[in-house]
Amino acid sequence: MKKTLFLFVLLFTLASTALADEQKKITLNGDHPQETITLAYANIFVSLAENDGESGKVKIEIENLDESNVLVLFDRAYDEKTIKKMPTSITFDKTFGGTKNKRVIEPYSGDGDRVILFRPSDKYDLPLLSVSNGSAQVCRLPIYIGKYKGKKMNKVLLLEKQIIELNIEAEFKPSAEYLGLKDKCDNLEREISRAVLCTNPKHKPSLDRQRVGYVNKIDALKKDIDEAIARHNWTPSDNGYVRYTALKKTLDSIDLDSRERDCGRHKAASGGGGGGHKCSYCSLSLQQIYHKLDDLYKRIYSSSDRKAAKKAVMSQVNALYRCCTDASCSKHAAQWKSGGDGYKSKITERYNRINGI
């Protein structure tokens, strides 16, 4: 009989504990910036406060709905002796679990620096919670429910503890700053992909001047990205640093060499001859072109993001292949037609493999 009674009490205690702990999953984003958790004794308001597109702050407000009791949140793990000596003396009710004089207060998670007493209808903000884009952050709220004692209401008797765990996930839209920089990068990449850097010596401006114009644009945009990273004080481990640095890598992957060729407007001035294919790869042998394509294939294949790696080098891949196959190329046309000493098939095979990734 005693054993049965003991098991009943134990199960009751465990069940009561399980009921006292509540877990709430909250997902906040631009379309759903706030969520309200309604409890029997309180409202908990969770909302996005600020963000830079990579990380941000979440605001948590608590409102006491209990008309007769006070809610208490503690910022540190106080012992019984300490809370009893506070300006508002706090003690445990005789029915509160644990060993008398050895109980320790459980604090709420966050950067709090004070004990918060919520009188009926009171509503307070907790310190802002830092969150990263797409990452979950747990906020544990041990809420103590008590009642005032004495005519001066300068004493609180703690009756029970309710634990609420907020599992908060925030999804931030990219910031206007990031979107602006990305748009500039995309536009410049598109502009260069359509450009022709004329190699004809009769072209004005010269090839060097044509190149330096684009190099200056690339460098200026990379400087803007570096300044943005510095303003945010990001380190290499921050999501913002990684995302903004990826923009710089996109700029670094732009291949100006592949845009070099005769624009075709100077044939008449040169007597109508010599206006065939010409690019920066014409000086290479078919063997060297094959090895360059092979190196690019290996770079793509070993990359953790093959799609992005392929996109970054395809302009160079196409330029190398075009240099071999252009019938007007004075350096390679005849050799290519005759089989290229075995490198024609190798180049074609490597080019097709790259396109098939």
Side-chain angles (χ1 to χ4, degrees), residues 189 250 253 300 303-314:
E189 189 177 20
T250 297
S253 70
I300 298 169
S303 172
S304 59
D305 187 348
R306 291 180 182 175
K307 184 177 180 181
K310 179 180 176 180
K311 180 181 177 183
V313 301
M314 274 311 295

Side-chain angles (χ1 to χ4, degrees), residues 167-355:
N167 193 320
I168 303 169
E169 184 173 323
E171 298 173 355
F172 304 121
K173 292 182 179 179
S175 65
E177 176 190 68
Y178 172 80
L179 292 175
L181 289 170
K182 186 177 186 305
D183 190 50
K184 289 180 181 179
C185 290
D186 291 343
N187 288 338
L188 181 56
E189 189 177 20
R190 193 178 303 112
E191 178 186 351
I192 293 176
S193 71
R194 297 170 180 171
V196 174
L197 302 180
C198 185
T199 56
N200 195 300
K202 295 182 179 293
H203 191 94
K204 301 297 179 183
S206 67
L207 178 60
D208 286 343
R209 286 187 175 274
Q210 294 172 66
R211 287 182 65 97
V212 78
Y214 287 116
V215 169
N216 288 342
K217 288 183 178 181
I218 292 172
D219 288 345
L221 194 44
K222 287 168 65 176
K223 182 181 178 182
D224 290 343
I225 295 170
D226 285 335
E227 289 175 349
I229 292 173
R231 278 196 302 273
H232 292 290
N233 294 316
W234 283 327
T235 63
S237 62
D238 293 319
N239 290 336
Y241 183 97
V242 174
R243 178 176 284 192
Y244 279 54
T245 302
L247 294 179
K248 290 179 62 180
K249 290 180 179 178
T250 297
L251 295 173
D252 287 334
S253 70
I254 293 176
D255 181 20
L256 291 176
D257 291 345
S258 68
R259 309 315 306 159
E260 292 184 9
R261 60 178 180 272
D262 196 303
C263 68
R265 296 194 296 246
H266 309 289
K267 294 180 181 179
S270 59
H277 170 88
K278 187 176 182 182
C279 72
S280 61
Y281 300 124
C282 286
S283 61
L284 302 179
S285 66
L286 291 180
Q287 181 182 10
Q288 289 172 318
I289 288 177
Y290 166 73
H291 286 304
K292 277 189 172 291
L293 286 171
D294 187 53
D295 289 342
L296 292 171
Y297 170 77
K298 290 175 180 175
R299 185 194 306 178
I300 298 169
Y301 192 82
S302 62
S303 172
S304 59
D305 187 348
R306 291 180 182 175
K307 184 177 180 181
K310 179 180 176 180
K311 180 181 177 183
V313 301
M314 274 311 295
S315 60
Q316 185 179 358
V317 169
N318 289 329
L320 285 163
Y321 189 68
R322 185 166 56 248
C323 187
C324 300
T325 57
D326 195 319
S328 66
C329 180
S330 60
K331 175 69 182 290
H332 300 121
Q335 190 180 8
W336 185 262
K337 188 175 181 180
S338 65
D341 294 330
Y343 282 101
K344 178 178 180 179
S345 60
K346 289 183 177 181
I347 289 171
T348 301
E349 183 272 341
R350 194 55 62 194
Y351 177 75
N352 290 336
R353 273 182 175 257
I354 292 173
N355 277 281

Side-chain angles (χ1 to χ4, degrees), residues 54-248:
E54 302 299 334
S55 59
K57 304 286 187 181
V58 168
K59 181 170 70 171
I60 300 174
E61 302 171 278
I62 298 179
E63 178 184 25
N64 184 4
L65 300 179
D66 198 317
E67 296 182 0
S68 57
N69 290 327
V70 61
L71 307 181
V72 190
L73 280 175
F74 294 90
D75 59 325
R76 293 200 299 276
Y78 298 101
D79 57 30
E80 292 190 52
K81 184 177 179 180
T82 302
I83 61 173
K84 190 174 182 179
K85 293 180 179 179
M86 288 181 173
T88 298
S89 179
I90 302 174
T91 56
F92 288 96
D93 183 68
K94 61 183 178 180
T95 60
F96 203 100
T99 304
K100 186 177 180 180
N101 297 324
K102 291 186 178 181
R103 289 166 292 200
V104 177
I105 290 294
E106 181 180 356
Y108 63 89
S109 56
D111 299 322
D113 59 359
R114 65 191 177 99
V115 177
I116 306 176
L117 290 137
F118 299 80
R119 294 177 176 82
S121 300
D122 276 354
K123 183 179 180 182
Y124 290 107
D125 297 351
L126 299 184
L128 293 177
L129 184 70
S130 296
V131 291
S132 297
N133 192 18
S135 299
Q137 179 74 28
V138 176
C139 179
R140 186 176 172 86
L141 300 173
I143 301 175
Y144 288 82
I145 301 175
K147 63 180 180 181
Y148 280 110
K149 288 176 60 181
K151 294 180 179 179
K152 295 182 179 180
M153 298 184 69
N154 59 351
K155 295 181 180 181
V156 171
L157 187 64
L158 299 181
L159 305 173
E160 61 176 305
K161 177 176 70 173
Q162 297 284 334
I163 298 177
I164 310 298
E165 278 194 353
L166 305 178
N167 193 320
I168 303 169
E169 184 173 323
E171 298 173 355
F172 304 121
K173 292 182 179 179
S175 65
E177 176 190 68
Y178 172 80
L179 292 175
L181 289 170
K182 186 177 186 305
D183 190 50
K184 289 180 181 179
C185 290
D186 291 343
N187 288 338
L188 181 56
E189 189 177 20
R190 193 178 303 112
E191 178 186 351
I192 293 176
S193 71
R194 297 170 180 171
V196 174
L197 302 180
C198 185
T199 56
N200 195 300
K202 295 182 179 293
H203 191 94
K204 301 297 179 183
S206 67
L207 178 60
D208 286 343
R209 286 187 175 274
Q210 294 172 66
R211 287 182 65 97
V212 78
Y214 287 116
V215 169
N216 288 342
K217 288 183 178 181
I218 292 172
D219 288 345
L221 194 44
K222 287 168 65 176
K223 182 181 178 182
D224 290 343
I225 295 170
D226 285 335
E227 289 175 349
I229 292 173
R231 278 196 302 273
H232 292 290
N233 294 316
W234 283 327
T235 63
S237 62
D238 293 319
N239 290 336
Y241 183 97
V242 174
R243 178 176 284 192
Y244 279 54
T245 302
L247 294 179
K248 290 179 62 180

